């Protein structure tokens, strides 16, 4: 299993995991759920105690991945399979993303 902390505007909001069978799970942190001022990270993932599950990387995280030549360069340089979306996310979404969501790779 691989996991990472999902940050929303640099604050820990939840945990994203990929299980051995390839499925993805996301759950909000209790501290994020308890604070009424904190928003959901996505309209498709409203704040809830339930764990979100998917056989594919959730769209809100998939859209953080590089495309085209940038993806090819990352995969070649980091020796990542282009189909390993979670691996690419771990290496590219730590700093500069096109939105409020980044990751903290400290759980890996």
């Amino acid at each position: 299993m691989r996991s990472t902390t999902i940050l929303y505007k640099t604050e820990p909001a939840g945990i994203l995991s990929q299980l051995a069978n390839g499925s993805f799970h996301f759950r909000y942190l209790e501290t994020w759920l308890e604070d009424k001022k904190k928003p959901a990270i996505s309209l498709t993932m409203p704040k809830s105690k339930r764990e979100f599950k998917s056989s594919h990387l959730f769209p809100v995280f998939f859209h953080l991945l590089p495309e085209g030549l940038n993806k090819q360069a990352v995969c070649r340089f980091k020796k990542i399979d282009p189909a390993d979306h979670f691996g690419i996310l771990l290496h590219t979404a730590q700093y500069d993303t096109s939105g409020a969501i980044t990751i903290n790779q400290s759980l890996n």
Side-chain angles (χ1 to χ4, degrees):
M1 180 172 85
R2 302 186 287 181
S3 297
T4 191
T5 303
I6 299 299
L7 306 175
Y8 185 87
K9 295 184 178 179
T10 71
E11 294 184 52
I15 304 294
L16 176 65
S17 303
Q18 183 180 31
L19 304 183
N21 68 3
S23 68
F24 295 90
H25 292 210
F26 174 79
R27 67 176 169 78
Y28 284 101
L29 297 173
E30 281 298 320
T31 53
W32 193 265
L33 291 171
E34 291 168 358
D35 190 337
K36 301 293 183 201
K37 296 177 188 171
K38 305 287 186 198
I41 62 164
S42 167
L43 292 175
T44 59
M45 300 171 90
K47 285 175 67 173
S48 170
K49 289 188 181 219
R50 77 177 178 96
E51 187 170 59
F52 296 89
K53 300 176 183 181
S54 175
S55 59
H56 295 54
L57 186 60
F58 298 97
V60 66
F61 306 121
F62 184 83
H63 293 294
L64 298 174
L65 301 177
E67 298 175 325
L69 293 175
N70 290 333
K71 179 180 176 181
Q72 290 174 14
V74 167
C75 291
R76 187 173 43 253
F77 181 71
K78 296 291 186 176
K79 296 180 175 50
I80 303 170
D81 182 330
D84 181 7
H85 297 139
F86 197 87
I88 297 169
L89 183 75
L90 292 176
H91 286 91
T92 61
Q94 295 180 55
Y95 308 108
D96 187 22
T97 61
S98 60
I101 296 174
T102 56
I103 67 162
N104 180 346
Q105 204 175 357
S106 64
L107 293 179
N108 296 321

